[in-house]
Amino acid sequence: MSALKVIFLRSFPAARLAPHNRCFSTSTPIWQSAQRSKTRQPLLKIDSAAARAHKHLYTIPADPFIAAQRVSRILKVASVDDALEYITSLRVGLQSTAAWNTVLKHYGDQGKASAAEKCFVQMRKRNIAPNQQTFTILISAWAHSSSPAAVRNAQDVIDRMDRYGVQPTIIHYNTLLLAYEKTKTPIQDVFDRLPCKPNEYTYSIAFRCAAEQNLDSGFVRMLWSQVQQKAMAKPSLLAQKAAQVIVTEDPKEGKFTLDDRLAASFLAALARTAAGEDDVSYGIDAIDQLYGLRPASTSHKGLLVPTVYSLDSILRFFGRTRKYKLGREYYDLALKQYPQIEPDQALLDTRAWLDGAQRPKPDRRRRK
């Protein structure tokens, strides 16, 4: 017999005389029942289908961290409106920026930018301070929305950040550019007025916009010139080892990565906007610099090692500019100069296109 049970029986002698009583039976000791009753958590006063179906998620949490976890779990089994009702039912001391950001993000991912803005208002009414992620989520919500005023409203979010003591970063402006991309709003003016140094993702978005909006090839070439300056500022150890990317780092700007996807975005934009042979020659020079490929010339090491993906982007460049024969020459040269390249079906389809076959489908890997 345990010492705890002995002490209990000495304190309650009646327990020995009533073994049939379930309150004192050895199968469910009274001290265990008392202990369980103390750990039982009260439920929030929410009368909804989700609350009735998932009562274990609707108990009052012990701290803000657990509350934020509950919000994430409710979003998996119920709706974002149920998650919002849960967080607004908590006392303010249990609410957190992280929990509110989780709800905001779900509204944004669904393209419900107006609902996200209303959610933000409720967050501020409870004096919950927004952070940088909060505003990234709000800008992204407008970038995903179908509102004709998406660009204006996304810019308004950035303008409001200073009011809360939050400094916009290139992440916020990249997210703003996504709104320009979706609404097909000309990007040149906002790109020239960026208060932050653009990174590789900024340029990738700008190249896509230029291709989709048929902007002037001069804008594309200007962007590529900036990329070249950043990429060649300080060759990295990765580049010296002929890796797949070139990484340079500036103490003020952070890392800048030049890889196949950024190069492919540039070639696609230049092909779409090319106005003459001069633009095609510019692309040929860029391919030579990037991959060390140029027919009828001495081979040399480029900035990057070509892959199946990069070779596909090169062939598409020549296909879009109607230089089919030249594209076939680059294909043969690349396989000869880099025998480790093993063409996949997407590359073979693009190669067949240069022979007059049906135009291949867009490569979804191209987006960055």
Side-chain angles (χ1 to χ4, degrees), residues 174-201:
N174 285 344
T175 311
L176 172 65
L177 292 180
L178 292 177
Y180 277 79
E181 180 183 13
K182 181 173 182 179
T183 58
K184 299 187 183 303
T185 303
I187 199 177
Q188 298 100 313
D189 291 341
V190 67
F191 190 90
D192 292 338
R193 292 184 286 103
L194 286 177
C196 305
K197 295 292 184 180
N199 58 19
E200 62 273 18
Y201 190 53

Side-chain angles (χ1 to χ4, degrees), residues 29-300:
I30 191 171
W31 59 82
Q32 291 185 10
S33 299
Q35 187 176 13
R36 290 176 184 174
S37 63
K38 289 181 180 179
T39 59
R40 191 173 297 140
Q41 295 174 310
L43 293 171
L44 290 171
K45 295 181 179 179
I46 299 177
D47 185 19
S48 66
R52 290 190 294 271
H54 308 281
K55 290 184 178 180
H56 62 290
L57 298 178
Y58 282 81
T59 57
I60 298 177
D63 54 56
F65 178 76
I66 295 178
Q69 289 183 322
R70 294 274 179 83
V71 170
S72 298
R73 294 176 64 184
I74 290 173
L75 284 167
K76 292 180 180 180
V77 298
S79 69
V80 62
D81 294 331
D82 290 315
L84 178 61
E85 184 179 18
Y86 171 85
I87 194 173
T88 54
S89 299
L90 298 174
R91 60 182 177 84
V92 175
L94 292 174
Q95 301 179 27
S96 65
T97 303
W100 279 95
N101 283 351
T102 302
V103 177
L104 283 170
K105 187 177 185 304
H106 273 72
Y107 278 122
D109 290 345
Q110 296 175 7
K112 298 179 179 179
S114 296
E117 289 283 2
K118 292 178 181 178
C119 182
F120 178 75
V121 171
Q122 293 194 52
M123 173 183 174
R124 292 301 303 137
K125 283 183 177 180
R126 290 160 175 79
N127 204 30
I128 305 298
N131 58 17
Q132 289 192 339
Q133 186 181 8
T134 307
F135 292 105
T136 302
I137 293 170
L138 287 174
I139 300 169
S140 179
W142 286 112
H144 284 88
S145 76
S146 56
S147 170
V151 171
R152 184 176 69 249
N153 292 332
Q155 180 64 58
D156 179 65
V157 174
I158 291 182
D159 295 339
R160 282 157 35 198
M161 291 178 65
D162 185 63
R163 189 185 312 167
Y164 300 99
V166 181
Q167 185 69 28
T169 67
I170 191 59
I171 296 176
H172 298 100
Y173 285 100
N174 285 344
T175 311
L176 172 65
L177 292 180
L178 292 177
Y180 277 79
E181 180 183 13
K182 181 173 182 179
T183 58
K184 299 187 183 303
T185 303
I187 199 177
Q188 298 100 313
D189 291 341
V190 67
F191 190 90
D192 292 338
R193 292 184 286 103
L194 286 177
C196 305
K197 295 292 184 180
N199 58 19
E200 62 273 18
Y201 190 53
T202 318
Y203 286 106
S204 184
I205 300 172
F207 284 133
R208 293 202 305 262
C209 289
E212 294 167 1
Q213 300 171 15
N214 292 321
L215 302 182
D216 184 73
S217 62
F219 177 66
V220 175
R221 292 170 64 163
M222 181 272 292
L223 293 177
W224 184 246
S225 177
Q226 294 181 12
V227 170
Q228 288 177 307
Q229 292 175 10
K230 289 177 177 291
M232 297 302 294
K234 181 182 177 183
S236 68
L237 183 61
L238 248 60
Q240 296 172 13
K241 293 181 178 180
Q244 299 303 323
V245 298
I246 286 185
V247 180
T248 60
E249 186 167 3
D250 184 291
K252 297 180 180 179
E253 301 179 24
K255 291 183 177 180
F256 185 89
T257 305
L258 171 59
D259 61 6
D260 278 345
R261 294 185 182 278
L262 182 54
S265 297
F266 157 67
L267 291 175
L270 185 62
R272 289 281 188 90
T273 60
E277 293 296 324
D278 186 53
D279 289 325
V280 177
S281 297
Y282 189 86
I284 291 174
D285 290 340
I287 294 170
D288 186 20
Q289 180 190 36
L290 283 167
Y291 304 109
L293 294 173
R294 187 191 291 265
S297 68
T298 305
S299 63
H300 64 90

